[in-house]
Amino acid sequence: MFPRLIVGNWKMNVPTTTTNLFVAQLAKRVSANVPVEVVLAPPFPFLSEVGSAVAGTSFTLAAQNVFWEEQGAYTGEVSGAMLKSLGCQYVLIGHSERRKIFGESDDEINKKVKAVLHHDLFPILCVGESLEERDAGQTHHVVRVQTLAGLQGLEKVDVSKVTLAYEPVWAIGTGRAASVDQAEDVHGLVRETLCEQWSLAPQFIRILYGGSVSGENAGVLFQSDQINGALVGKACLDLDAFASIIASTA
Ligand code: 13P
């Protein structure tokens, strides 16, 4: 089993204090006795700064996106090698905001997963259904298709390096987190899908929950051993809230 993984996705935001101060204050709040992995995912221009700030702490660095090509005429894009050189260990891929606002397809997401693995970075592959899909009873179908398409063509050894993040679209930024039952149901499906397709042992599949995770609901979510951590948006820029989410893993 892994320690729980808590990822703070800053999205296109920065803390109200300087990043150095934010990271230093967060580090002070995180007890060394709690076995938890904390990852910060700032916007691209802050990766270097946050990378320096986390050096000497137990935190690590993630990027929020990547392009699959190595280099060339791809205006606005960033390669896996570039992220690696900035000290990233993880890369978020297929976040629903990227799928919805930027039209990322499962095929593109799959190329990104492969590019990230190629650079010895760890992908965090996001999947999740919209409210309409849930209401139409399509949750399992949608999540299964996204999971299989995102990981298509990967060998077992590579799939074992991927963290999945179940983020129901209706729970993101709405203050309406999934219930433990809803999260467990989909985590169970994702785990079963990976076990079936790649014969992975269930305890070696890491699945995060994301969508309105807060200091208040994290403790309840983490009572479930199906939920191996959280992908946190809004609350990760609030020191008290993020520290409380991290402490809830104990
Ligand atoms: P919120 O925690 O703000 O709902 O965002 C979740 C998310 O999208 C994390 O990637």
Side-chain angles (χ1 to χ4, degrees), residues 9 11 92 95 97 167 171-174 210-213 231-235:
N9 176 8
K11 307 194 179 183
L92 300 180
H95 192 281
E97 286 148 17
E167 294 208 305
I172 296 177
T174 59
S212 296
V213 175
L231 180 51
V232 184
K234 187 163 173 245

Side-chain angles (χ1 to χ4, degrees), residues 10 15 17-34 36-40 50-60 236 238-244 246-247:
W10 293 14
T17 57
T18 63
T19 52
N20 272 337
L21 193 61
F22 180 83
V23 172
Q25 287 179 335
L26 186 65
K28 267 196 218 146
R29 305 266 200 109
V30 176
S31 159
N33 301 326
V34 179
V36 60
E37 193 179 346
V38 177
V39 178
L40 305 182
V50 177
S52 304
V54 298
T57 73
S58 59
F59 306 158
T60 53
C236 81
D238 179 310
L239 264 182
D240 288 334
F242 199 45
S244 149
I246 294 166

